[in-house]
Every structure is written in C-alpha cells, then in structure tokens.
Amino acid sequence: MAQNQSEDTGAVPDARPPAKRRIDGIDAARALAVFGMFAVHLGVVSFGLLPEEQGWELHSLVRGNSSALFAFLAGVSLALMTGRTRPVEGDSLRRAGVRILARALLIGLLGFVLDAFAVPVAIILTYYAGFFVLALPLLRARAALLWTAAGILTLLGPVVSFLLRQDLFPGGLRTAALTSFTEFFLTGYYPAITFMAFVIAGMAVGRTDLTATAVRIRMAVAGVLMAATGYLGSWVLLNPLGGWDRLTEAHILNGGSLSSVDPGTAEEARYAATDAAHSISGQVPTDSWWWLAVNTPHTGTTFEIFEAVGQALVVLVVCMLLAERLPRLMYPLTSVGRMPLTVYSGHILVLAVIVALHPQNAAGGPWYLEMFILGSFVFACLWRWAVGRGPFELLLGNFADGAVNVVESARADRERNRGTG
C-alpha cells in the first residue's frame, strides 16, 4: 500500500513526523463524490442501466450531496496533510501553509480555464481553491474546536446569508461558475458562507484517529443522527407545521392565500413550490423565512447541511471498511479517488468536446454515464499501475514543492543577510 505522502500534496522531506499509511477508504469516498457529479452533470438522459423513474431518484440522491461530500473530503485531506491528530506547528506549519496556498492557486486557475470551455456545468474547482485559503487559519485547531466552528456556521451561516442577500446582495444573472467575491461568499453555486461548514466538518474528522474502531462507530452513529435530524426537522416544519403552504403563498401566489383559490389550483401551486425547492442552485430565495426550513440539495440551509454531513460521515465509514476488507474489489474506485483532480477535469474536457459536436444534446444520450465511469476506471487503474500519482496531482505536487523551495530559500537569504548586516 502506498504511503500517504500527505494525501497527494507533493510533500518533500521536512521536520514533520513520518508519514502514516494511506487510508484508501478516503480515496474510495472521493471517487464516489466525483461520480456523483458525473451523474448530475450528464443528467438523467445519460443513465443507461436505470429506468427513468429510478434515474430521477439517483439524480435526486447525488445532486448537492456529491459536491458536499467533495468539500467534506477536502477538509479531511487538509487535516491529514497538516498532522492528522496532532496539528503541525512552527516550520512544518509554515511549509504546509505554503503548499496549500500553492495548490489553491493552481486549482483556482484550472477552474477558470475549465470554465472558459463554456460547458453547462457549475465548475467547483474555483470555489474549492477559495475554501483552501479560508481554511488556513484553522490548520492548528483540534477536532473539538473544528466541530464547534462547523456547528456555529451550520446554524448561523444560512441565517446570515438570508439577511445579507435579502437586504444588500441579491443574486444576479450567473454568466460563469464564479465571477465575483460576492458569488464566492454568498450568491454563487457553492457559497462559502454555508459550504465551509462541510470543509470544517471534514477537517474535524481528519483530526481524529480514523483507523480506530471506536472513532468509526461514533462517526457512523453521529452520521445517522445528523441525517435523521436534517430530514425529520425539515419534514416537521414543512408538513405538520404548514411550511409548504406558507412557501406556496409567498413564492407562487405572491402573498395570496391558498384558501382564496380552488382546490385544484391550490394543489398545482403546492407542487410548483416543491418543484422550486428542488430546483435551487446555491441558496434559497429571500421572499419567505420558511425557505430556511427546506432540506433539498443546494439550498444551503441548516437542515441540508445536517443531512449532507451525516450522509458524508456514513459514506466515509462504509468506504473505509470496504477498502480494508475488499481491497482488490475496491481497487478501481480507490484508483479514481487518488487522482480526483485529473478525473474531474478530464470529464469536463470530454464534455466540452461533446457539447462542441452536439450543442443541442450536451449529455449525448443513454449509457454516457456508464461510459464516463468505465473510462475513469480504466484510465485511473492503468495510470496508477504504470506511474502512480495522477498527472494533474503530480503537477500540483511539483508546483507546491517548488513554492516551498522558493519561500524557504528567500527566508534563508533574509536570515543570512540579517546575520551579516
């Protein structure tokens, strides 16, 4: 089994503790997140194995949850590359910070390049890079503090976002995945004010001993409870307490009362409200506070965050167990998870070709999802066997190493000049 190498950060020998063995289950979970985004980007029409009804169920399951899992695992990786259960300090912390900034710069540039291909996909990489930068002040924090920060952001972030967007920063027309700081923090597809809760929760998990059985049991139980809280809390508010009716009146009937329309129209209006909730991409509308009670994907509400983090915890535990007990069976999945940047970017480039050839049918047709996944398996397994780290991951690691060398050389020169001055 390959050594951790700081979760593919391009680490070079320094004063850090010796690297621990890589946790392949994290790679497997990362691959599932990438494949989930495949399913969302290609659409239900691309599913060949599933009938349309089951296809929509799968689409609903992975939409939002896959990007949340991706961000959550980014947080796990940040913790692993900065000391695992014992956060690095001093020189090691400085070098880790330089590596993370270098990675963020290159990932952000790659995100803008991919966005320039005008594929009908909300590229997450530009946001991902920003999340890395925002996480820097938390690199020395331990699990308890990180869970506290994630909890505060989960509870207050959606409310603060609602107030700011309601009065100061209403969302405008989106022309790309990310075009401004306002979009990054508040009004974009993956707004940091709520998405950082996933990253910080992942960092908290990465600060625990993921090889310990007791830790995994606690993660699984906490995950189930959090997912149940997110689902049931939203259900109680929207159904028995009348939230859907209030949303229907505010959003569909423009403030009118459901009692003032005939039953058929009322039912259609309720359906339109639920359909609107499932079509949100980033944050809820601000015409009613009841929107904060929904838990549908990409809404950025407290209930959605609870449910998504809970599911991420369960997925990670299951993947770690399977990767350890069935390593050969999980080899293709862990191979993809070792090069997520390469596979994610590659599928965007392939989509760009498809869009160029078939602009009216970007998803292509049935079996495209299966072909994308199979192609990813074949490429990742062969590359891992022949080379090791993915091509983009290798580039990222070398760039990070170069940045560390430049910073350390400049620091050494300053100290030398200070000593001779």
Side-chain angles (χ1 to χ4, degrees), residues 393-416:
E393 286 72 20
L394 189 60
L395 172 64
L396 202 63
N398 290 336
F399 183 75
D401 285 348
V404 170
N405 291 335
V406 169
V407 171
E408 292 299 302
S409 296
R411 185 169 179 270
D413 290 341
R414 287 198 301 271
E415 293 180 351
R416 190 181 306 111

Side-chain angles (χ1 to χ4, degrees), residues 2-13:
Q3 292 294 308
N4 188 326
Q5 284 296 325
S6 295
E7 287 298 298
D8 288 330
T9 61
V12 294

Side-chain angles (χ1 to χ4, degrees), residues 160-233:
V160 172
S161 172
F162 189 97
L163 289 171
L164 290 176
R165 290 183 296 106
Q166 185 181 52
D167 298 328
L168 299 174
F169 303 102
L173 180 65
R174 294 167 178 167
T175 57
L178 181 61
T179 59
S180 68
F181 284 108
T182 301
E183 281 192 346
F184 172 72
F185 284 105
L186 283 174
T187 63
Y189 291 102
Y190 313 101
I193 195 169
T194 51
F195 246 77
M196 278 301 294
F198 302 129
V199 177
I200 298 172
M203 293 177 69
V205 169
R207 286 281 178 251
T208 61
D209 183 3
L210 292 175
T211 63
T213 301
V215 170
R216 294 182 179 185
I217 292 174
R218 288 197 295 268
M219 286 173 56
V221 172
V224 171
L225 291 176
M226 291 180 69
T229 299
Y231 175 79
L232 293 176

Side-chain angles (χ1 to χ4, degrees), residues 215-287:
V215 170
R216 294 182 179 185
I217 292 174
R218 288 197 295 268
M219 286 173 56
V221 172
V224 171
L225 291 176
M226 291 180 69
T229 299
Y231 175 79
L232 293 176
S234 175
W235 182 86
V236 169
L237 288 172
L238 294 177
N239 293 283
L241 297 184
W244 279 126
D245 286 352
R246 304 293 82 77
L247 283 175
T248 301
E249 292 172 342
H251 194 70
I252 305 301
L253 300 181
N254 298 316
S257 174
L258 278 169
S259 60
S260 65
V261 300
D262 63 84
T265 302
E267 189 63 27
E268 290 179 359
R270 290 190 182 93
Y271 178 82
T274 59
D275 186 61
H278 284 87
S279 301
I280 293 172
S281 295
Q283 61 285 310
V284 296
T286 57
D287 53 11

